[in-house]
Amino acid sequence: MTTVADSQPSASPGPAVSTPSRRVGSVRRTTTHDSSRSDGLDGPVRLVARGRDLLTLPDGQGVVLDEAGLEIVVNDSLEGRILEFSLDPPHDGTDSLIGATAFAGFRRSVGALIPDDRGSGSVRFQILDDLPTALMLSGRVLRAAGLGLGIPMKPGKPSNVDICAGWIDDGVAVRGYSEKGPPLFPAPDSPPVEPADDPLGWHPHPDSVPHSTRRRRRLDLWRDGELARIDCFFRDSHFDEDGLEGVVHEWTVRAAVDPASLEVVECEAGYGALPFPECPGAAASAGRLVGGPLVGLRRRVLKEMVGTSTCTHLNDQLRSFEDVGTLLRRLDSAAD
């Protein structure tokens, strides 16, 4: 049986139950990161990531603009030492990542290895950029099985106190932290979001398996008069020993951009399910993007969006907006 420690989940309005229909004249980017442990809970973690950009034409037909995938095997979800690594489209030199960690310094290593990808707005860069935090999610499997994460504790407190709203000092997560890790909240059941009536609504991705985790992202972009609109969805989920899916984190961000200046003019976040009662307090931080440019957003969010008024998972979602300029150019090119 899954061991669930006593915790107080956030007052969630509930997970999303569907994916919006694809809009005519829009681009939809979807990505998934699936982490599994086929050799047992104490064995290596295999992460399979897939992503796709899909243009929807006036007649509803979908045209693939870009797609990518990667597979990585690491020794565990704590050290994250890379044992196997493959990338599609491939790039010379990725063998140099074998033996390195997929956590600290991974994004820097990828940036040095594939310097042109950062500014390309490609799906390949997005799935690489999202890999460290998606892999970190796989530790949920161990906690759900009643096992410890093996993270060293400072005397009386975890090392990530005040890193975000959910880890505020004296909050539920910090007070409930033990030698096994953070308190485990009862994750709500995860409704399927892949639309049954639209096989192109999401890209193909691996089937779920017990004792695994999945990170989903969807970003819809379309023209609305003089603005470009963004609807961006994110969900982390965990599949227990019976293969039942529960929502760990879920955010939706809606924003508007001036296509001429690529400046954010509107940005608002809402949540579907979050682990701790303090987490929803980070929603207001999305408004900080208003008035700023999309260019350089990934670095700016990492540098400026810190502390207890923010959320690391929401920040990753906001960072992905840097690619909107590329997606908008592709959308406009298709219209011409």
Side-chain angles (χ1 to χ4, degrees):
M1 294 292 292
T2 296
T3 301
V4 179
D6 289 337
S7 180
Q8 180 185 358
S10 61
S12 167
V17 297
S18 64
T19 293
S21 298
R22 289 182 289 120
R23 294 172 173 82
V24 168
S26 69
V27 173
R28 170 170 293 180
R29 169 170 290 182
T30 53
T31 64
T32 50
H33 290 68
D34 285 88
S35 300
S36 59
R37 301 166 184 261
S38 59
D39 293 333
L41 297 183
D42 58 351
V45 179
R46 178 178 295 275
L47 183 148
V48 178
R50 297 284 184 265
R52 185 192 66 190
D53 291 342
L54 186 76
L55 170 70
T56 299
L57 298 175
D59 61 0
Q61 180 182 351
V63 177
V64 176
L65 301 178
D66 188 17
E67 54 189 341
L70 70 82
E71 294 193 28
I72 182 173
V73 178
V74 300
N75 62 327
D76 58 37
S77 54
L78 176 61
E79 182 184 17
R81 180 166 51 84
I82 299 172
L83 306 178
E84 300 176 22
F85 187 93
S86 65
L87 187 61
D88 181 25
H91 192 280
D92 292 340
T94 54
D95 288 348
S96 65
L97 296 173
I98 303 298
T101 177
F103 295 129
F106 177 80
R107 287 169 173 158
R108 184 168 56 252
S109 297
V110 167
L113 185 65
I114 318 177
D116 295 337
D117 254 25
R118 177 177 291 278
S120 71
S122 68
V123 176
R124 184 173 71 175
F125 184 80
Q126 174 59 40
I127 62 175
L128 284 166
D129 189 69
D130 216 14
L131 188 148
T133 47
L135 182 61
M136 193 176 300
L137 171 68
S138 68
R140 168 86 183 195
V141 170
L142 302 181
R143 280 295 287 119
L147 305 175
L149 300 181
I151 302 174
M153 287 181 64
K154 290 183 177 180
K157 291 182 180 179
S159 59
N160 53 354
V161 171
D162 288 342
I163 192 174
C164 64
W167 286 91
I168 191 169
D169 196 1
D170 203 36
V172 166
V174 173
R175 290 200 313 269
Y177 200 90
S178 70
E179 68 281 355
K180 290 186 177 181
L184 196 69
F185 61 95
D189 292 342
S190 178
V193 292
E194 289 84 354
D197 60 348
D198 182 10
L200 292 179
W202 283 77
H203 62 280
H205 52 74
D207 293 334
S208 61
V209 296
H211 295 304
S212 67
T213 56
R214 172 175 293 160
R215 168 164 289 194
R216 293 179 176 91
R217 290 196 187 281
R218 172 189 56 80
L219 188 152
D220 284 337
L221 175 70
W222 68 97
R223 286 271 192 168
D224 180 20
E226 296 183 353
L227 297 176
R229 296 282 178 185
I230 300 168
D231 184 303
C232 190
F233 170 80
F234 154 79
R235 175 184 286 174
D236 278 341
S237 55
H238 164 244
F239 298 86
D240 66 14
E241 69 273 18
D242 298 317
L244 299 178
E245 184 179 5
V247 179
V248 182
H249 309 101
E250 185 176 293
W251 287 100
T252 297
V253 181
R254 295 183 175 90
V257 173
D258 178 347
S261 64
L262 293 183
E263 179 180 291
V264 180
V265 297
E266 300 173 17
C267 192
E268 184 176 10
Y271 62 97
L274 294 170
F276 306 116
E278 297 86 1
C279 292
S285 67
R288 298 185 200 174
L289 266 61
V290 174
L294 294 176
V295 177
L297 190 59
R298 281 193 170 93
R299 287 193 177 97
R300 194 162 69 252
V301 168
L302 283 177
K303 182 179 180 181
E304 299 175 6
M305 303 281 280
V306 296
T308 58
S309 64
T310 67
C311 168
T312 53
H313 306 288
L314 175 58
N315 284 354
D316 275 350
Q317 196 165 359
L318 300 176
R319 292 172 69 249
S320 73
F321 286 8
E322 182 165 342
D323 296 339
V324 164
T326 296
L327 296 176
L328 186 59
R329 288 191 294 273
R330 292 174 180 168
L331 181 62
D332 291 344
S333 294
D336 293 339

